[in-house]
Amino acid sequence: MLAPAESHRAQAPRNTTDVSPGLPVPRRHVWLWPALAICLCSTACTERLLQVFTPPNAPTANRPPATETSRQGSVTLPSASDTAPELPTAAPTPTRTEPSSEAPDSPRQPAPKPKRLLLRGATLLTATELEAFAGDLLIEEGRIAAIARSLEDGDATRVLDLSGRWITPGLIDPHSHVGIAPAPFIRAHRDANELSGPIKPELRAEDAFWPQDPALRAAASGGVTLIHVLPGSGNVIGGQGVSLHVRPSADGSITPLLVDGAPRSMKIACGENPKRIYGARNAAPTTRMGTEALLRQALEDAQAYAPKSGDARRLDQEALSEVLAGRTLIQNHCYRADEMQRRLAMFAEFGIAPRAFHHAVEAYKIRHRLARAQVGAVVWADWWGRKQEMLDAIPANAALLDAAGVRVALHSDSPYDIQRLNQQAARAMAAGRRAGLDIPRERAIRWVTANPAWVLGLDDRYGTLEVGKTADVVVWSGDPFSVYSRADLVFVEGELVFDRAEPERFPQSDFLLGRGRNLGRANDLRRARRTAPEPAQ
């Protein structure tokens, strides 16, 4: 959804006490803006910025400590209530050294994952048709090798006793701007919208992704193992999205994060954002009519595209040709029911269909049509009212869609909500129950696992706990639908990337390593120089 001039107003979830550094200031306090700008450059305000991305610190549900059994014997692992990671609020400038190739346990070079890891005695919520049950899960070479009520140790190289904990598939966020609109959200980092023209299918989100975004580590602390990063919605066609693993980058580039074989997606938008942005410039589109006309013309041009030998490449036409061929999935930003139906009709003219409508706050009004068309819906749990096209949003949207047979997925569209996707699922499940719908945990967990995997074309490898699937696994301190539960252990492709008892396993962003304090000192020094008296002549 991210679009210029409104993205800074993204609201924090209603059940958190975090304070957003970008909340709007009432017009009667316009005089505060200069003071706020100065404050943002000070040490104290920068420290508050960093606190926003501290993993949530709610009390942990009571449960026995985990024990680890290895060939060297048994040890007791610290519980999440014993040690909880906190991002530093005023860290001293450290002595920075480059990781050595002789240090296999360096955060930049994670220790090799065990060949056979047995997770024993947890409650398993598989995101399949199975009800939650107490059992064991075996991970081998990055994949789920076995899952049952009881498994023998066999030749497991590591065994974790997780009695009292819960295990789910890794959570998947199908709509994120992490890395292309990273924290802190300042102009220098705003790479989500290329506003040099409304039709930009050739753009690729991966070309602007910043692996040092502090929000990545915060997402991992919330149990998120895979994200789909999309361009913003300022353009009619905003560009191509990319699916990424949530883990540290071994070489500092995006390459280790790319999901092998993931389909590309195309971000297309309708509604208020494109016409508002370009209308302010007196450029097309200034109306919804203009938006639809520009999209139809772009698809017509791509359909007629037939390059001859020796012709210069047209990256925009090539990208849209992949859409028309069905190899690039359409992810369509849209809020209102009438606009979603209009888009379905237009795409049908070209023999294509969107994979999902994103945000889709009025999707409940056309849920049966979406189910028949096999079009997914990527929605919030309960965002409402930020702009006119959101006024008909209801908290039971996800539950009503699910009951009608629509593949519904919850998304964050926010560096705050991405830390609490499990709580979003709990809120949406509760809203459905209040509306009289019987939504069990086994269905609701699919809204943040199996269904977003389908939206991204990755459901054959991700999203459920099944033999043969990729071992993206989260161990929770308790029921994942409780506000008191936290992600204790997070595995991506069988590799432990986040451990609440050992948070340094997922290294902090370089941005957090003393930069805030240095920035404050530098500005203090500049101010001191400006106000110093002139030397005597």
Side-chain angles (χ1 to χ4, degrees):
M1 184 192 67
L2 193 69
E6 71 169 14
S7 54
H8 66 285
R9 298 195 291 269
Q11 300 171 351
R14 298 173 185 176
N15 65 333
T16 177
T17 57
D18 287 347
V19 179
S20 168
L23 293 178
V25 176
R27 289 186 182 277
R28 63 180 179 272
H29 297 320
V30 171
W31 60 270
L32 285 176
W33 280 111
L36 180 60
I38 295 172
C39 178
L40 284 173
C41 296
S42 71
T43 305
C45 201
T46 302
E47 290 167 359
R48 186 65 193 102
L49 253 179
L50 306 185
Q51 289 175 6
V52 172
F53 292 93
T54 301
N57 215 11
T60 304
N62 294 328
R63 76 258 185 261
T67 59
E68 174 182 350
T69 304
S70 66
R71 298 308 179 193
Q72 288 75 36
S74 300
V75 296
T76 299
L77 298 178
S79 67
S81 58
D82 297 329
T83 57
E86 293 288 345
L87 299 186
T89 57
T93 304
T95 302
R96 302 184 61 183
T97 58
E98 293 298 325
S100 168
S101 59
E102 299 177 359
D105 292 330
S106 164
R108 296 293 184 193
Q109 300 177 358
K113 53 194 171 191
K115 291 184 178 180
R116 291 174 63 86
L117 171 64
L118 180 60
L119 306 180
R120 165 159 290 170
T123 299
L124 298 170
L125 194 57
T126 63
T128 65
E129 298 303 320
L130 295 176
E131 294 184 358
F133 65 95
D136 303 341
L137 184 145
L138 179 66
I139 297 174
E140 183 175 3
E141 297 295 338
R143 293 193 175 275
I144 298 174
I147 182 170
R149 293 190 181 276
S150 180
L151 293 172
E152 296 295 330
D153 290 4
D155 57 351
T157 54
R158 189 180 180 193
V159 179
L160 292 180
D161 182 2
L162 300 173
S163 301
R165 288 169 164 83
W166 287 58
I167 295 178
T168 69
L171 307 189
I172 300 173
D173 188 349
H175 185 120
S176 175
H177 302 294
V178 166
I180 62 171
F185 193 62
I186 58 178
R187 186 172 301 277
H189 285 169
R190 296 179 189 175
D191 290 318
N193 285 282
E194 172 58 54
L195 298 178
S196 55
I199 304 295
K200 291 292 181 181
E202 70 274 18
L203 302 180
R204 306 189 310 169
E206 64 196 82
D207 292 334
F209 186 83
W210 185 43
Q212 288 286 326
D213 187 349
L216 274 175
R217 185 174 184 267
S221 76
V224 178
T225 58
L226 196 152
I227 59 176
H228 191 68
V229 179
L230 287 163
S233 54
N235 290 327
V236 179
I237 301 180
Q240 301 164 48
V242 60
S243 294
L244 301 172
H245 297 291
V246 178
R247 62 185 176 197
S249 173
D251 62 7
S253 75
I254 191 177
T255 303
L257 309 185
L258 295 170
V259 177
D260 291 338
R264 288 193 178 275
S265 71
M266 186 63 69
K267 175 69 174 289
I268 299 178
C270 59
E272 294 181 19
N273 286 358
K275 78 186 191 75
R276 172 177 53 81
I277 290 166
Y278 286 93
R281 306 174 179 182
N282 199 28
T286 63
T287 63
R288 286 177 167 85
M289 293 185 295
T291 297
E292 299 305 291
L294 285 172
L295 177 59
R296 180 176 282 106
Q297 188 61 60
L299 294 175
E300 289 280 3
D301 292 346
Q303 197 171 53
Y305 180 60
K308 299 178 181 179
S309 178
D311 286 353
R313 291 185 64 184
R314 289 285 307 276
L315 297 181
D316 55 344
Q317 299 298 328
E318 290 179 10
L320 284 180
S321 295
E322 292 293 294
V323 171
L324 293 174
R327 291 186 288 269
T328 294
L329 305 178
I330 298 173
Q331 309 293 354
N332 201 128
H333 159 115
C334 207
Y335 287 80
R336 289 183 357 194
D338 61 304
E339 292 190 271
M340 286 184 264
Q341 294 190 84
R342 190 155 51 244
R343 281 292 163 92
L344 288 173
M346 181 192 295
F347 289 139
E349 296 174 18
F350 297 90
I352 55 178
R355 187 69 165 188
F357 284 114
H358 289 236
H359 311 319
V361 299
E362 293 186 15
Y364 65 93
K365 298 180 180 181
I366 56 169
R367 57 190 183 276
H368 299 295
R369 180 171 182 183
L370 293 177
R372 288 194 301 271
Q374 297 185 0
V375 174
V378 177
V379 302
W380 291 291
D382 49 18
W383 281 31
W384 169 88
R386 292 180 60 253
K387 50 185 178 176
Q388 188 69 31
E389 59 188 357
M390 291 181 72
L391 291 184
D392 269 358
I394 61 172
N397 190 23
L400 288 169
L401 289 163
D402 183 87
V406 179
R407 288 186 175 94
V408 59
L410 297 176
H411 68 323
S412 72
D413 195 28
S414 156
Y416 313 105
D417 276 4
I418 199 172
Q419 304 172 51
R420 303 169 181 84
L421 284 180
N422 62 313
Q423 293 182 25
Q424 278 212 58
R427 299 202 306 269
M429 178 176 66
R433 290 177 176 178
R434 288 194 298 270
L437 299 171
D438 181 19
I439 305 292
R441 283 173 167 76
E442 290 75 11
R443 295 290 298 174
I445 194 64
R446 293 178 62 86
W447 300 345
V448 288
T449 56
N451 289 356
W454 177 86
V455 167
L456 305 181
L458 297 171
D459 52 312
D460 59 331
R461 292 182 285 156
Y462 298 90
T464 59
L465 300 180
E466 295 181 273
V467 173
K469 286 202 170 180
T470 302
D472 281 13
V473 176
V474 182
V475 177
W476 300 88
S477 61
D479 182 346
F481 292 99
S482 168
V483 295
Y484 297 110
S485 296
R486 294 181 294 177
D488 280 347
L489 303 171
V490 179
F491 298 88
V492 173
E493 293 188 313
E495 175 190 334
L496 181 61
V497 300
F498 181 81
D499 183 346
R500 193 163 294 278
E502 190 185 345
E504 63 273 10
R505 183 177 294 275
F506 197 122
Q508 294 182 22
S509 165
D510 288 347
F511 173 76
L512 299 182
L513 298 179
R515 297 289 182 85
R517 170 160 292 192
N518 289 341
L519 178 61
R521 287 173 177 167
N523 282 292
D524 290 342
L525 181 59
R526 281 193 289 269
R527 284 194 294 271
R529 287 173 177 168
R530 286 198 300 268
T531 58
E534 292 293 330
Q537 297 296 326

